[in-house]
């Protein structure tokens, strides 16, 4: 037999993932892509919106700042034109204190500069001491102020290219022009503060000329020129930029090569307009941040799915491996067991043979013990009779001696029959049964016991029915049983005060022979009938008497029982099936 062929476990190598798992992964991927694309669009729109709102807010703030700065500066000329100190100085042509005065004012007002001109347009006092003495007669702020009775606004580009914004007003003394006060508004500080907030911002005047800008180069240009000058990207870089800009909304303009959102608004001052450019980059960054988290989430989901799928596959293959290993082990164990069984079988055969031999030997031993046991009794009797006969011959009484010899002859006859019986006992064959009167068997046994009875002081009482008590039995063997019981009783009463043996024969449902003594009683009722159980000294008894007797009674279809009597001593009972017809017929 192929050792492993019966238990070989074969399993097909399954794919790591079932088609259901594949569909699941595909679905997760598709859902992921859809979710990412739609969130991109939605978030871009939302963030663009908020960015635009914020830019608008900022723009409103910027123009508010501009207006308030201009308004603050616009009232200063009116106040200073009424300053008695300045008027006095112009009147008296004494400007020694004037510059100092203007410097002290400018700090409080927060203007860029204060300039005092005399009626001829010459600078007589200024916060910038360098220009004192210069003539500003052709300057718009002087020309316009002289012409007007009100505060006038003028702006022009200075020699640095920066725009200057001035409020000027004529100063009069007793209805006559004595000078002009000029206040230069500081708007350039806004350019700097705007530039700090990353957006590109510019302000145009009513002619659309850029007058304030976070990019200094834009000043004096119109918007289109400014943007042109600023960024002239090549067609290729424009294309690259277009693909890179993954935005959902159209781009307003490109500033410094960046896609930007353009916002324009009116400044409520002389037709000025403010324009801001906000880069989309911040929107992109925020959207990309969210998208990255989303993509990561989906990737994680897929990774987890793959992990579990691979783990299940691994677990399954481990399970199969374990199972086949177990089966292999089982197979080996089975093989071992079979070998063991075969060996045990062989051992058993040997043991059986040995047992048969030893039981034969045991039977042989038992047999020889039984032979000697049964022959001892007649031999002892023969010895007594021969001694008696010898004595009688010496006393010349041959007739009496002859009867003794006759008895010895009877005993020899009996021994012959005993050996025959033992032979049949060994064969366990029941034969030679005949109807026997129990009373006769008893008296025959008793006569055989005569020599011992004479030697021992004992009272024997008997209660025997007058009529026959018939049983089917083998005479010699039945007598053997009775002799054994009597011998045991004699042994038991050896040391009794009034040694008595009572024999009762009765015929009821069974034929019963009872032997009762007042001896020591039975020690161990359980082992009583076992072969070789004896309490006697070696030589006195071998423990076969009761074993043989109960065997004989059983063969005759009866029962041998024993019990102790409360008053002391033992009772043995032989019960045999009674031959009622013959018993009754006799009566
Ligand atoms: N009448 C009795 N009273 C008390 N004990 C008894 C009596 N009969 C038998 N026994 C007990 O039973 C034992 C077994 O008796 P059994 O006749 O089988 O053997 P045995 O008398 O010892 O030897 P033997 O083989 O010579 O008869 C005895 O040794 C004794 O202890
Ligand atoms: Mg005995």
């Amino acid at each position: 037999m192929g050792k492993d062929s019966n238990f070989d476990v074969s399993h097909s190598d399954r794919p790591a993932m079932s088609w259901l798992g594949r569909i699941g992964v595909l679905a997760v991927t598709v859902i992921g892509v859809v979710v990412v694309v739609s969130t991109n669009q939605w978030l871009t729109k939302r963030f663009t919106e908020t960015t635009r709102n914020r830019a608008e807010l900022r723009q409103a703030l910027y123009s508010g700042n501009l207006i308030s700065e201009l308004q603050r500066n616009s009232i200063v000329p009116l106040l200073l034109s009424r300053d008695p100190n300045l008027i006095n100085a112009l009147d008296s042509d004494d400007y020694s204190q004037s510059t100092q005065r203007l410097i002290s004012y400018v700090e409080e007002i927060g203007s860029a500069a204060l300039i005092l001109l005399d009626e001829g347009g010459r600078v007589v006092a200024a916060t910038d001491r360098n220009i004192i003495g210069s003539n500003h007669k052709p300057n718009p702020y002087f020309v316009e102020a002289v012409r007007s009775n009100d505060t006038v606004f003028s702006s022009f580009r200075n020699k640095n290219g920066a725009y200057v914004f001035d409020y000027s007003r004529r100063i009069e003394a007793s209805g006559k022009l004595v000078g002009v006060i000029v206040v230069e508004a500081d708007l350039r500080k806004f350019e700097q503060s705007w530039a700090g907030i990353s957006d590109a911002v510019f302000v145009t005047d009513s002619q659309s000329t850029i007058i304030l800008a976070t990019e200094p180069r834009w000043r004096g240009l119109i918007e289109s020129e400014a943007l042109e000058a600023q960024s002239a990207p090549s067609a290729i870089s424009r294309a690259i930029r277009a693909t890179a800009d993954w935005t959902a909304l159209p781009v307003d303009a490109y500033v410094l090569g960046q896609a930007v959102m353009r916002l324009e608004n009116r400044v409520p001052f002389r037709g000025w307009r403010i324009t801001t450019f906000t880069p989309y980059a911040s929107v992109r960054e925020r959207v990309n941040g969210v998208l990255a988290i989303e993509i990561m989430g989906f990737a994680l989901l897929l990774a987890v799915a793959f992990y579990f799928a691979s783990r299940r596959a691994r677990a399954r293959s481990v399970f199969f491996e374990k199972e086949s290993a177990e089966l292999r082990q089982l197979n080996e164990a089975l093989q071992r067991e079979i070998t063991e069984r075969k060996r045990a079988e062989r051992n058993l055969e040997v043991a059986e043979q040995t047992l048969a031999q030893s039981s034969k030997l045991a039977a042989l031993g038992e047999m020889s013990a039984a032979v000697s046991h049964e022959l001892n009794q007649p031999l002892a009797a023969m010895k007594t009779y021969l001694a008696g006969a010898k004595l009688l011959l010496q006393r010349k009484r041959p007739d009496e001696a002859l009867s003794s010899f006759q008895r010895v002859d009877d005993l020899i006859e009996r021994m012959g029959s005993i050996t025959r019986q033992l032979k049949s006992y060994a064969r366990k064959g029941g034969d030679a049964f005949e109807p026997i009167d129990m009373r006769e068997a008893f008296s025959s046994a008793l006569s055989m016991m005569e020599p011992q009875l004479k030697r021992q002081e004992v009272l024997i009482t008997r209660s025997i029915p007058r009529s026959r008590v018939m049983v089917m039995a083998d005479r010699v063997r039945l007598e053997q049983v009775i002799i054994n019981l009597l011998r045991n009783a004699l042994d038991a009463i050896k040391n009794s005060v009034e040694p008595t043996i009572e024999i009762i024969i009765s015929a009821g449902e069974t034929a019963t022979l009872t032997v009762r003594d007042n001896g020591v009683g039975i020690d161990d009722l359980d082992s009583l009938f076992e072969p070789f159980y004896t309490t006697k000294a070696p030589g006195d008894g071998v423990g076969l008497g009761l074993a043989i007797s109960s065997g004989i009674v059983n063969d005759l279809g009866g029962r041998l029982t024993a019990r102790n009597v409360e008053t002391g001593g033992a009772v043995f009972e032989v019960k045999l099936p009674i031959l009622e017809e013959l018993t009754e017929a006799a009566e």
Side-chain angles (χ1 to χ4, degrees):
M1 163 174 113
K3 197 180 168 196
D4 281 334
S5 61
N6 289 348
F7 298 99
D8 225 356
V9 180
S10 65
H11 63 272
S12 58
D13 276 344
R14 290 205 189 193
M17 201 185 287
S18 63
W19 58 270
L20 209 81
R22 284 164 189 218
I23 285 180
V25 167
L26 198 74
V28 168
T29 313
V30 167
I31 290 171
V33 167
V34 168
V35 166
V36 166
V37 167
S38 54
T39 29
N40 172 51
Q41 264 166 16
W42 185 72
L43 284 178
T44 307
K45 212 163 141 187
R46 278 237 15 214
F47 288 154
T48 307
E49 210 94 313
T50 50
T51 307
R52 188 179 293 278
N53 288 344
R54 253 187 244 160
E56 271 170 1
L57 210 68
R58 229 168 15 238
Q59 210 174 43
L61 203 71
Y62 293 167
S63 75
N65 286 345
L66 272 179
I67 295 297
S68 75
E69 185 67 24
L70 287 166
Q71 271 173 355
R72 201 153 48 80
N73 284 289
S74 71
I75 55 163
V76 174
L78 178 66
L79 296 173
L80 291 184
S81 68
R82 290 173 188 171
D83 187 305
N85 292 318
L86 293 182
I87 296 170
N88 281 346
L90 285 169
D91 259 351
S92 59
D93 277 351
D94 174 13
Y95 304 110
S96 54
Q97 302 294 314
S98 301
T99 293
Q100 196 53 49
R101 211 169 179 80
L102 291 183
I103 289 173
S104 74
Y105 286 151
V106 81
E107 275 167 17
E108 281 175 46
I109 298 162
S111 303
L114 292 175
I115 305 168
L116 186 66
L117 304 169
D118 65 7
E119 77 272 21
R122 197 174 53 93
V123 176
V124 289
T127 47
D128 181 4
R129 287 176 198 274
N130 298 331
I131 60 168
I132 292 174
S134 60
N135 198 326
H136 288 195
K137 194 173 180 178
N139 256 352
Y141 50 69
F142 182 76
V143 178
E144 307 235 338
V146 170
R147 270 195 224 136
S148 171
N149 284 327
D150 216 339
T151 303
V152 295
F153 176 82
S154 57
S155 68
F156 64 93
R157 245 182 134 179
N158 66 10
K159 53 185 183 297
N160 299 331
Y163 278 80
V164 183
F165 307 93
D166 296 297
Y167 281 101
S168 54
R169 192 184 179 100
R170 53 190 283 161
I171 301 175
E172 290 175 0
S174 52
K176 192 165 72 79
L177 173 78
V178 289
V180 168
I181 179 75
V182 179
V183 177
E184 194 185 314
D186 182 10
L187 297 187
R188 245 167 300 152
K189 67 181 175 194
F190 292 119
E191 285 183 332
Q192 281 152 25
S193 69
W194 296 339
I197 313 177
S198 83
D199 297 14
V201 182
F202 64 76
V203 177
T204 54
D205 63 8
S206 52
Q207 267 89 51
S208 299
T209 308
I210 294 171
I211 49 174
L212 287 171
T214 48
E215 281 294 317
R217 280 178 294 170
W218 288 352
R219 289 184 200 128
L221 303 174
I222 61 167
E223 183 184 344
S224 55
E225 289 169 349
L227 293 187
E228 196 81 351
Q230 206 33 252
S231 54
S234 69
I236 292 172
S237 68
R238 222 185 261 275
I240 292 171
R241 202 175 47 211
T243 43
D245 282 328
W246 193 34
T247 46
L249 296 172
V251 172
D252 294 336
Y254 287 94
V255 173
L256 299 170
Q258 250 191 333
V260 291
M261 176 193 299
R262 183 180 179 282
L263 274 179
E264 190 188 326
N265 250 307
R266 221 170 56 82
V267 180
F269 184 77
R270 291 170 171 254
W272 285 12
R273 304 189 77 79
I274 183 167
T275 305
T276 57
F277 293 104
T278 309
Y280 279 113
S282 65
V283 173
R284 208 46 279 135
E285 269 163 26
R286 285 162 68 193
V287 172
N288 285 352
V290 174
L291 292 186
I293 289 173
E294 256 177 20
I295 291 168
M296 220 162 71
F298 278 112
L300 217 69
L301 209 70
L302 277 183
V304 167
F306 276 121
Y307 169 73
F308 276 112
S310 73
R311 209 178 67 156
R312 236 184 43 202
R314 202 159 0 105
R316 202 184 291 134
S317 78
V318 164
F319 171 74
F320 278 131
E321 262 169 38
K322 219 171 90 183
E323 203 172 54
S324 68
E326 266 168 22
L327 282 175
R328 246 196 314 278
Q329 260 177 15
L330 209 67
N331 194 8
E332 279 164 18
L334 221 60
Q335 290 293 333
R336 271 202 301 276
E337 192 130 310
I338 288 169
T339 326
E340 201 114 304
R341 282 285 147 84
K342 278 183 183 157
R343 198 169 44 230
E345 231 165 73
R346 267 201 307 279
N347 284 352
L348 202 66
E349 272 169 28
V350 173
E352 263 171 13
Q353 283 169 0
T354 316
L355 195 69
Q357 233 145 22
S358 68
S359 73
K360 274 182 204 159
L361 285 176
L364 206 65
E366 206 173 303
M367 184 73 184
S368 55
V371 169
S372 66
H373 181 268
E374 294 307 315
L375 294 186
N376 267 348
Q377 173 63 31
L379 277 175
M382 267 168 71
K383 201 175 176 189
T384 312
Y385 286 132
L386 283 175
K390 191 179 167 192
L391 212 66
L392 287 169
L393 281 177
Q394 276 170 354
R395 293 188 187 163
K396 306 257 189 293
R397 287 151 68 176
D399 293 344
E400 285 168 62
L402 207 60
S403 78
S404 275
F405 284 130
Q406 184 54 49
R407 291 213 167 166
V408 171
D409 197 31
D410 289 349
L411 283 171
I412 287 169
E413 176 66 21
R414 181 178 174 75
M415 280 164 73
S417 70
I418 285 172
T419 51
R420 270 198 305 280
Q421 284 300 329
L422 284 169
K423 236 162 47 190
S424 69
Y425 166 77
R427 269 191 268 112
K428 289 272 179 204
D431 45 14
F433 281 12
E434 51 184 337
I436 288 167
D437 187 349
M438 234 194 200
R439 298 177 308 169
E440 278 173 21
F442 167 64
S443 51
S444 157
L446 198 63
S447 72
M448 217 141 7
M449 290 292 292
E450 237 178 60
Q452 275 115 314
L453 290 172
K454 273 183 191 154
R455 249 185 279 142
Q456 216 170 320
E457 191 184 314
V458 55
L459 173 63
I460 294 182
T461 64
R462 43 194 120 169
S463 122
I464 292 168
R466 293 230 179 91
S467 52
R468 301 192 294 183
V469 181
M470 298 303 288
V471 292
M472 255 332 237
D474 175 321
R475 173 181 296 278
V476 178
R477 293 173 77 188
L478 184 58
E479 283 172 14
Q480 259 178 267
V481 171
I482 299 166
I483 288 169
N484 279 334
L485 292 180
L486 288 174
R487 272 184 53 202
N488 280 347
L490 281 175
D491 286 343
I493 56 169
K494 248 177 204 158
N495 300 316
S496 296
V497 186
E498 286 177 357
T500 312
I501 298 174
E502 189 181 1
I503 292 121
I504 306 162
I505 294 176
S506 65
E509 280 177 18
T510 55
T512 310
L513 173 96
T514 307
V515 179
R516 177 179 176 154
D517 64 65
N518 60 352
V520 290
I522 301 157
D523 264 359
D524 185 355
L525 278 167
D526 291 331
S527 333
L528 200 62
F529 297 104
E530 274 171 23
F532 306 109
Y533 167 73
T534 180
T535 55
K536 292 166 193 171
D540 289 348
V542 287
L544 274 174
L546 287 179
I548 291 172
S549 301
S550 78
I552 291 169
V553 175
N554 278 348
D555 281 352
L556 299 179
R559 227 147 51 87
L560 174 60
T561 57
R563 62 174 193 276
N564 278 322
V565 192
E566 283 157 32
T567 50
V571 180
F572 285 82
E573 258 180 10
V574 180
K575 284 187 195 281
L576 290 174
I578 195 162
L579 282 176
E580 281 182 54
E581 298 151 37
L582 287 179
T583 307
E584 275 159 24
E587 280 173 44

